[in-house]
């Protein structure tokens, strides 16, 4: 996010799983005016608010209208795609303002369409990629200093004896509210 989110920006994070929540947490470091989370699951939208989102909206609740209302109709400065589904990528491109940035960090298993017929006039920057190792030392120092509170990301704890239940809880994260499941010996 460094160099992309600036103070006063409106940021939208589409996908409020662990990666999206990490994006919300780190976007806050750059003092945006608004962070809007978009996700289907109520538990993940609640987690997004806990991690610093100012607004949380389901995809079927017209996130574009929420963004327009907060930006005077212009769209978001930065939109982060953290799902990896073609429909969410397309949603991101509709939420970004002219001159804005779409940061694609979702991992795709299917092709996504880039609607240049809509984007050609918007001067939008689209970047792709996952976390690089150059930011890891900084993030570790911030964790050590207590500047990034990731403890709420761990929502469930199990012993190794309960491995099957832990896997079931994590596999059904939409219903269980699981973000990160920790297994330990005792």
């Amino acid at each position: 996010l460094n160099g992309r989110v600036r103070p006063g920006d409106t940021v939208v994070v589409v996908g409020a799983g662990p990666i999206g929540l990490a994006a919300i947490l780190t976007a806050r470091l750059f003092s945006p005016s608004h962070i809007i989370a978009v996700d289907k699951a109520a538990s993940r939208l609640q987690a997004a608010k806990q991690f610093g989102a100012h607004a949380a909206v389901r995809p079927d609740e017209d996130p574009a209208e929420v963004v327009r209302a907060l930006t005077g109709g212009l769209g978001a400065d930065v939109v982060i795609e953290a799902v990896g589904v073609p429909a969410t990528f397309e949603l991101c491109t509709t939420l970004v303002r002219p001159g804005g940035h779409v940061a694609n960090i979702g991992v795709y298993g299917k092709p996504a369409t880039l609607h240049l017929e809509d984007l050609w006039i918007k001067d939008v920057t689209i970047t792709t990629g996952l976390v690089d190792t150059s930011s890891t030392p900084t993030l570790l120092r911030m964790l050590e200093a207590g500047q990034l509170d990731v403890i709420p990301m761990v929502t469930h704890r199990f012993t190794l004896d309960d491995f099957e239940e832990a896997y079931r809880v994590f596999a059904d994260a939409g219903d269980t509210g699981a973000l990160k499941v920790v297994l330990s010996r005792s």
Side-chain angles (χ1 to χ4, degrees):
L1 294 176
N2 190 11
R4 292 176 179 80
V5 177
R6 296 175 309 231
D9 276 358
T10 295
V11 178
V12 177
V13 178
V14 177
I19 299 299
L21 295 175
I24 290 168
L25 189 63
T26 54
R28 288 180 51 212
L29 298 171
F30 299 96
S31 302
S33 291
H34 304 285
I35 300 175
I36 303 156
V38 179
D39 200 286
K40 291 183 193 178
S43 61
R44 290 190 169 194
L45 292 175
Q46 185 61 37
K49 287 182 179 179
Q50 182 181 359
F51 276 77
H54 302 100
V57 62
R58 293 173 46 95
D60 59 359
E61 295 174 331
D62 199 0
E65 180 54 38
V66 173
V67 172
R68 282 192 297 269
L70 288 172
T71 63
L74 291 175
D77 300 285
V78 177
V79 183
I80 300 167
E81 199 290 338
V83 180
V85 175
T88 55
F89 175 76
E90 290 182 35
L91 173 63
C92 289
T93 63
T94 67
L95 300 175
V96 70
R97 74 184 307 151
H101 185 122
V102 175
N104 190 93
I105 57 177
V107 178
Y108 292 81
K110 297 179 180 176
T113 302
L114 179 60
H115 286 282
L116 291 176
E117 72 277 11
D118 298 325
L119 293 172
W120 72 271
I121 198 159
K122 289 178 82 171
D123 191 26
V124 171
T125 299
I126 299 172
T127 56
T128 62
L130 297 173
V131 175
D132 57 51
T133 57
S134 65
S135 62
T136 301
T138 300
L139 292 170
L140 289 174
R141 285 192 304 274
M142 293 178 81
L143 283 169
E144 186 176 54
Q147 293 175 295
L148 293 175
D149 182 14
V150 296
I151 298 299
M153 192 108 35
V154 176
T155 55
H156 295 78
R157 296 177 182 274
F158 295 92
T159 65
L160 289 175
D161 293 336
D162 296 321
F163 179 84
E164 287 182 22
E165 176 65 9
Y167 188 83
R168 187 199 62 74
V169 166
F170 187 71
D172 194 17
D175 287 333
T176 65
L179 294 173
K180 289 294 182 182
V181 174
V182 173
L183 289 167
S184 59
R185 289 184 214 196
S186 57

